Amino acid sequence: MIKVNAMSLTYPSGKGVHALDFSVARGEVMGYLGPNGAGKTTTIRALLGFMLPDSGSCTIGGLDCQKQAPEIQRTLGYIPGEITFIDGMKGDEFLSFMLEMRGLSDQRLQKQLLERFELDPRGSIRKFSKGMKQKLAIVTSCMHDPDVLILDEPTSGLDPLMQNRFIELIKDWKQRGKTILMSSHSFEEVERTCDQVLIIRDGMIISKTDIQTLKDTRRRGYLLSCDDAAAAEKLLRHAGFEVSSVDDTIIEVFITGDRMDQFIKTAARCTVRDLEMKQQSLEHVFMQFYDKEYDDHDL
Amino acid sequence: MICRPLFKATIRKNRSLFILFLSVLTLYMTIMIAMYDPHDMEAITAMLDLFPEQMMSAMGFSSMITDVNSYLASWLYGLLMLGFPLVYCVLLGNRLVVKMVDDSSFAYLLSSPNSRSTIILTQGLYAMISIAVLFAALFGLGVLACSVAFPGLLDVQGFFMLNVTTMLVNMVVMMICFFFSCLFNDTGRATALGAGIPIAFLLMNILGGVTAEAKVLKDLSIYGWYDPISVASGNTEARVNLWYLAVALLLFAASILVFRRKRLPL
């Protein structure tokens, strides 16, 4: 459905994307992960037809993203990474305006979505909170029942409850056979919605994996407090885990997705006082993943 | 092919700007007409003679004024009807395109099934029409005010042609602003050129009127291609009008072309 062929798009600063190659099949939900400045938004700009690539091409549903942008837009839903609505409009005015711009008049889906996200669109958009603006952008992107959705960090600014609502929405759309490309820098969000994940860094796709592999690769740190930390460390090390000692009573154990069960069973042999998951920054997680990729492919 | 919902939204969004400028110009026009005294033109001429001649001719004020047509052409259409609309053109030109590209709300216009050409055509058409409506309103107002204050004194035909030519030169200014609004992605550069070039033309027109040697400046300025007093007295400048129209349309076409091809950082 979405096809990107050897596409390069370089800015005068030298940044951009280089020889990008990927495709998203019909009905697939593709996560698009990468740190800030990696080229996620640039890819999306090319797909939306805002920027002509220097070389290569991209198509959606067989239509060229630059030459046939208006036709593509008929069945495309888009959430910009940086959302700015048209100045001076009220929320409900904006929704009607966008429907009219598409030549549509059916407001049923729009009403359903507003209820789903508990959004009252009346009032000036300028006075909306960040979360309300994000909700308005979500409703705008879906209210014409598009076949393809391109979402640039769709849940930023939403509270956890609404993030869950959004994830449910994506799952619904997925069941109805929509094709979705969703950029994000949240592993959790991608983990819960996507089938496949593309990882981009410095303008190059460094990996395309299915979600299970990503989960397995992902290494979590757990802080384990025991009566006899030294013994526990030895035991776990013996079982093949990566362990480091934090202080006399606490050790840190690193676990990849598929070894959780083994870890619990091994740790159960000690007297456990506390077990805590260590919060990891996204950069940290990325670094781990990238390092692994470097090892695997010897890039 | 224009985009109707966008056109409607553009009208709604820029209505107050239009009303503001129409009100200011209406105010000036009414005051100017009220100040005209057909029996006492000698007094005005005498007052003008108090000022240095160069200064007066720079401002486009001629001491040859006797009838109401030349009075309006010189006092109102010589500078005010160029300067105020210039500010309007700069503000409107910015609002129609580059401001929305700069703050990236333009992404929403393009995420509808309308091509870039359609959107720019719609915005540019609003710009041209609003200038036309502005001068149509001012023409109507002038005729009305004169017929109330001095029935039968205004040569409506001449006054109409004066409004046509002034409208056309302002359309050129509008399209200069619009072109730079389409060319650049940031408001700063678009304003610098969109406002700078017409202001330079206006200054050249003023300075060119001071002495005979400086007349070349006036000839180079788009504002200097016609003499308002002569047009108001019934000498239609058909060729100049056509030139203005051609330049405005050329700039409009160029605006669409540059916008179609460029990269938009949305």
Side-chain angles (χ1 to χ4, degrees):
Chain A
M1 198 68 182
I2 302 176
K3 268 205 178 70
V4 174
N5 294 317
M7 183 183 79
S8 295
L9 200 167
T10 321
Y11 297 118
S13 67
K15 279 197 150 196
V17 294
H18 313 289
L20 229 51
D21 252 312
F22 68 86
S23 61
V24 186
R26 187 182 293 272
E28 198 174 42
V29 182
M30 176 75 83
Y32 198 28
L33 283 172
N36 291 328
K40 298 189 297 269
T41 299
T42 305
T43 314
I44 288 172
R45 280 172 177 167
L47 286 172
L48 265 291
F50 298 159
M51 287 192 175
L52 183 73
D54 297 314
S55 60
S57 68
C58 47
T59 59
I60 294 177
L63 298 168
D64 184 274
C65 289
Q66 272 69 43
K67 292 191 195 96
Q68 290 158 300
E71 285 98 302
I72 291 176
Q73 294 294 351
R74 262 176 227 291
T75 55
L76 185 87
Y78 168 55
I79 300 183
E82 198 156 313
I83 300 163
T84 319
F85 298 101
I86 293 164
D87 199 28
M89 275 197 187
K90 295 192 169 105
D92 43 358
E93 259 174 29
F94 178 72
L95 289 172
S96 323
F97 170 68
M98 285 308 292
L99 265 185
E100 276 181 58
M101 285 288 280
R102 296 186 173 280
L104 304 173
S105 55
D106 187 354
Q107 296 194 324
R108 273 175 301 174
L109 189 54
Q110 183 195 107
K111 292 217 167 80
Q112 278 174 26
L113 286 160
L114 287 172
E115 273 170 36
R116 188 165 189 162
F117 286 97
E118 297 172 19
L119 177 67
D120 177 2
R122 286 172 300 181
S124 167
I125 299 178
R126 212 157 4 126
K127 302 211 168 79
F128 280 17
S129 67
K130 174 98 176 69
M132 281 171 82
K133 285 183 188 163
Q134 198 70 33
K135 287 178 188 179
L136 188 63
I138 293 171
V139 174
T140 311
S141 71
C142 305
M143 65 183 179
H144 55 290
D145 199 13
D147 297 331
V148 181
L149 283 159
I150 295 183
L151 315 173
D152 199 352
E153 295 183 12
T155 59
S156 63
L158 291 185
D159 59 43
L161 179 72
M162 286 304 151
Q163 282 187 15
N164 282 335
R165 293 258 165 99
F166 178 76
I167 288 167
E168 281 164 27
L169 179 76
I170 295 291
K171 285 180 175 162
D172 277 8
W173 286 129
K174 185 165 134 185
Q175 270 188 338
R176 294 173 53 189
K178 314 267 182 202
T179 309
I180 304 175
L181 177 70
M182 180 165 104
S183 99
S184 178
H185 47 220
S186 153
F187 266 107
E188 275 72 23
E189 187 177 283
V190 166
E191 229 173 66
R192 290 174 60 187
T193 48
C194 300
D195 311 312
Q196 297 277 322
V197 182
L198 282 170
I199 297 188
I200 181 169
R201 187 167 79 162
D202 297 335
M204 281 177 279
I205 302 256
I206 58 165
S207 150
K208 179 181 173 173
T209 47
D210 60 87
I211 200 72
Q212 197 54 47
T213 314
L214 183 73
K215 279 183 185 168
D216 292 346
T217 314
R218 197 176 153 191
R219 205 177 66 142
R220 278 201 178 98
Y222 286 87
L223 295 174
L224 183 73
S225 331
C226 307
D227 282 350
D228 188 354
E233 190 178 338
K234 207 172 154 192
L235 188 69
L236 285 162
R237 219 184 274 279
H238 189 69
F241 288 98
E242 199 185 327
V243 190
S244 68
S245 161
V246 178
D247 61 29
D248 288 348
T249 55
I250 301 172
I251 54 172
E252 186 175 6
V253 190
F254 298 97
I255 301 156
T256 48
D258 52 346
R259 296 196 65 196
M260 196 63 199
D261 186 62
Q262 197 193 348
F263 165 65
I264 296 282
K265 283 175 179 156
T266 314
R269 280 154 54 192
C270 313
T271 317
V272 178
R273 293 231 177 268
D274 194 14
L275 178 63
E276 188 186 357
M277 196 176 106
K278 200 177 167 192
Q279 286 299 321
Q280 281 176 297
S281 70
L282 269 163
E283 279 67 30
H284 199 86
V285 177
F286 271 121
M287 284 322 292
Q288 284 172 11
F289 194 80
Y290 290 143
D291 288 347
K292 168 124 185 28
E293 288 301 310
Y294 276 118
D295 295 345
D296 283 0
H297 302 298
D298 202 24
L299 278 166
Chain B
M1 196 182 62
I2 71 153
C3 174
R4 278 164 159 278
L6 177 62
F7 194 77
K8 278 198 301 188
T10 304
I11 292 178
R12 230 175 301 142
K13 197 174 153 184
N14 297 295
R15 203 166 35 189
S16 40
L17 184 75
F18 178 82
I19 292 172
L20 178 75
F21 276 87
L22 181 61
S23 313
V24 171
L25 290 172
T26 300
L27 190 76
Y28 268 104
M29 186 174 241
T30 327
I31 292 173
M32 283 297 182
I33 291 175
M35 275 167 57
Y36 179 70
D37 184 351
H39 306 296
D40 204 14
M41 276 319 286
E42 288 82 24
I44 293 184
T45 314
M47 187 188 83
L48 285 184
D49 288 341
L50 293 177
F51 294 95
E53 195 188 327
Q54 275 103 337
M55 184 179 143
M56 284 296 106
S57 54
M59 295 297 165
F61 303 144
S62 157
S63 54
M64 297 300 285
I65 310 160
T66 46
D67 59 312
V68 69
N69 277 60
S70 351
Y71 169 81
L72 288 176
S74 123
W75 283 94
L76 203 57
Y77 284 76
L79 190 62
L80 277 173
M81 289 293 181
L82 306 175
F84 275 105
L86 190 158
V87 179
Y88 173 75
C89 291
V90 171
L91 293 176
L92 183 67
N94 264 334
R95 287 162 72 123
L96 288 175
V97 187
V98 73
K99 192 161 170 283
M100 284 194 275
V101 172
D102 208 355
D103 74 11
S104 71
S105 58
F106 211 93
Y108 272 112
L109 301 184
L110 289 180
S111 68
S112 70
N114 296 289
S115 68
R116 292 186 186 195
S117 311
T118 306
I119 290 170
I120 294 302
L121 189 70
T122 307
Q123 299 294 77
L125 214 59
Y126 172 80
M128 293 288 257
I129 289 174
S130 81
I131 295 286
V133 173
L134 184 71
F135 280 93
L138 290 169
F139 167 70
L141 198 92
V143 171
L144 186 77
C146 283
S147 70
V148 171
F150 317 106
L153 278 191
L154 183 78
D155 168 14
V156 177
Q157 176 88 31
F159 185 60
F160 178 75
M161 285 325 293
L162 175 66
N163 276 283
V164 168
T165 305
T166 315
M167 172 191 83
L168 288 170
V169 74
N170 278 299
M171 281 181 170
V172 174
V173 174
M174 184 72 248
M175 281 301 126
I176 292 175
C177 299
F178 191 72
F179 173 75
F180 288 112
S181 186
C182 290
L183 181 67
F184 292 118
N185 288 332
D186 66 298
T187 318
R189 276 196 289 176
T191 314
L193 285 172
I197 292 176
I199 289 173
F201 279 145
L202 199 60
L203 290 175
M204 280 158 66
N205 190 44
I206 293 172
L207 293 175
V210 178
T211 60
E213 295 89 71
K215 198 180 167 292
V216 63
L217 287 174
K218 203 178 174 85
D219 295 338
L220 287 173
S221 159
I222 51 162
Y223 292 113
W225 294 358
Y226 67 100
D227 173 15
I229 296 175
S230 148
V231 173
S233 317
N235 302 313
T236 303
E237 295 264 19
R239 206 160 46 157
V240 169
N241 288 350
L242 275 178
W243 268 113
Y244 283 142
L245 195 65
V247 174
L249 291 178
L250 207 71
L251 282 166
F252 195 172
S255 307
I256 297 174
L257 281 179
V258 295
F259 196 82
R260 269 168 65 124
R261 309 164 74 101
K262 78 167 175 178
R263 284 183 169 181
L264 291 165
L266 301 173

